Amino acid sequence: MSRAKSPFSPAAVLRGALVPMLVVALWQGLSMSGLINPVVLPSPVAVVERWWAYLLPPDPYDPAQGSWFLWALSGEMLFDAWSSLYRVVLGFAVGAGLALPLGLAMGGKPRIYALMDPLLQILRPIPPIAYIPLAILWFGLGNAPAVFLIAIGAFFPVLMNTIAGVRHVDGIYLRAARNLGVGRTTMFIRVILPAATPYILAGARIGIGTAFIVVIVSEMIAVNSGLGFRILEAREFMWSDKIIAGMFTIGLLGLAIDIGMNRLNNHLLRWHRGLEN
Amino acid sequence: MTPMLKTIADGQPAAWTGAGTAPVQISVRGVEKSFTAGAQPIVALKDIDLDIRKGEFVCLLGPSGCGKSTLLNAVAGFQPPTRGTVNVDGRLITEPGPDRGMVFQEYALFPWMTVAQNVAFGLEIKTMPKAEIAERVEWLLGKLHLQDFRNRYPKDLSGGMRQRVAIARVLALDSPILLMDEPFGALDALTRRTLQDELLRIWEEVGKTILFVTHSIEESIYLADRIIVMTYRPGTIKRDVQVEMPRPRDASAPEFNRLKRELSQMVMEEQQRFSQDEIRSVTAD
Ligand SMILES: Nc1ncnc2c1ncn2[C@@H]1O[C@H](COP(=O)(O)OP(=O)(O)O)[C@@H](O)[C@H]1O
Ligand SMILES: [Mg+2]
């Protein structure tokens, strides 16, 4: 992104807001016309009101109950968002934590690759969602099956990219390192791993995206908290405004995760030549 | 530093030609290297016998494809020869090592390390104490005028700066031998001359044995004690020319130009065979 054209100049903001505003206006017009049952399509105003109520703490502030800060965070939405984020992070950490060393080994050692590849090729096309029955059978309900599913979702993208990253390490770095007297272990940790980080981080980004999809699905099945649970719960009460408010929250959390990943990416790859923005 | 290198360093830097009496350090015997590419094998090197003395600055000169890199890689230990041996200080070379520091044309800096980290890396491998590493890195950064760039990443450096870092990185190893494969080939003429002068200054100061690959006739005359002209396919040694001119050498001096004409003649002959070969390979397709 060039610095000359700031994305926050008045003209740019106006242009960016144009289509969303049109859509909202159309939506508001539709619901005000009375043609559509508000249970099917609530008005945008109702959605915003619901979203606000979802965000705010349920009870008024009572100093006797403790700190103001904790009270401000006691709203249902923040608790749900936190629950979902916690599962994503935990599941991703487990999946990527297993995929990274395995990917390094498979990328670096053809023998390990030959050993592991057939099994992984069979498992890889199975969507994480297809593990749901098994996950519940093995882990019951609660966080455990959700984390298991998310870990599977994050595992394969990180694994495949780590293998590719190790294989694409430019031979010139290996030669330079050998010339400096670098041994096998150091070669892996200080040369191959950093050289493969652009690939690994690209895989991590796909992995966390998958993890975010899986967390919403698994919350609709295995647990009773989180954003996925909340929109399904709202459906039972026919609260369509809350469903849509919840969906927006899911979108916002996804965006926040993506921005966080982007920041991490830019920091870890600050040395990398082909980096945009 | 070994006493031998000390002697060289303390000698008369500008006109030092004492390598003629120094002991042999690199000994190449009957080296042949062939590559199997397609139907018929390519004989990149054949019957190479070469002795390089301690402290000598030797250039390998020849047109592209004549096997200069292949010979350098055999000495570096990256590619073992098909036949024959390379010995360094009487030890048979079978693998690369920090006793033969290599500078690559592509710089080969680690892009994820800063300038200072790149220079320090080889010393960390040697498990040198931290304080000593810091001191040595500082000294080298100063020597190659890199102090202001210590925290930059290679992507933010010019080609000349990158090659300075690469040189500092191998100098950090304090290896008695420097192997350089067209290190200045990608640089503009001015940067190139500056780095050539700096290399000569460092060589005279610390007294390394340098094996330097180039396809530039002028560069070889400017730098070397001795120029090895190679033939094209198979790569053999065509001529072994001693350069006696005192340094710094003047590229407009009559002696310089006489040698330049002589070497041009030899290189052109090989270049022609290279061109014919290329035409043949194109028409054969
Ligand atoms: N790995 C390889 N496989 C096949 N042929 C090679 C390989 N490396 C070098 N050659 C061939 O060997 C010859 C010498 O190559 P090289 O040493 O790189 O030449 P120079 O450095 O003098 O340009 C060339 O003809 C090249 O095509
Ligand atoms: Mg070459």
Side-chain angles (χ1 to χ4, degrees), chain A residues 172-183 186 190-192 194-195 269-273 275, chain B residues 73 78 96-98 100-102 104 106 108-113 121 124-125 153 155 162 169 173:
Chain A
I172 191 85
Y173 301 139
L174 305 181
R175 292 209 296 157
R178 287 218 293 152
N179 185 248
L180 295 177
V182 169
T186 312
R190 302 220 34 204
V191 180
I192 295 176
L269 295 182
R270 60 195 179 282
W271 52 269
H272 198 244
R273 188 202 286 266
L275 200 67
Chain B
N73 283 332
F78 288 126
R100 286 150 286 142
M102 180 102 163
F104 304 86
E106 316 88 314
L109 298 175
F110 302 115
W112 54 89
M113 295 184 193
F121 189 48
E124 286 164 15
I125 300 307
Y153 286 100
K155 71 165 171 135
R162 285 183 203 179
R169 181 173 71 178
L173 299 172

Side-chain angles (χ1 to χ4, degrees), chain B residues 68-69 181-182 213:
Chain B
K68 306 181 295 292
S69 295
D181 194 352
E182 307 202 26
V213 165

Side-chain angles (χ1 to χ4, degrees), chain B residues 35 37 42 44 63-71 79 181-182 213 232-233:
Chain B
F35 295 104
I42 293 170
S64 151
C66 71
K68 306 181 295 292
S69 295
T70 307
L71 180 53
Q79 281 176 340
D181 194 352
E182 307 202 26
V213 165
Y232 175 77
R233 284 206 193 163

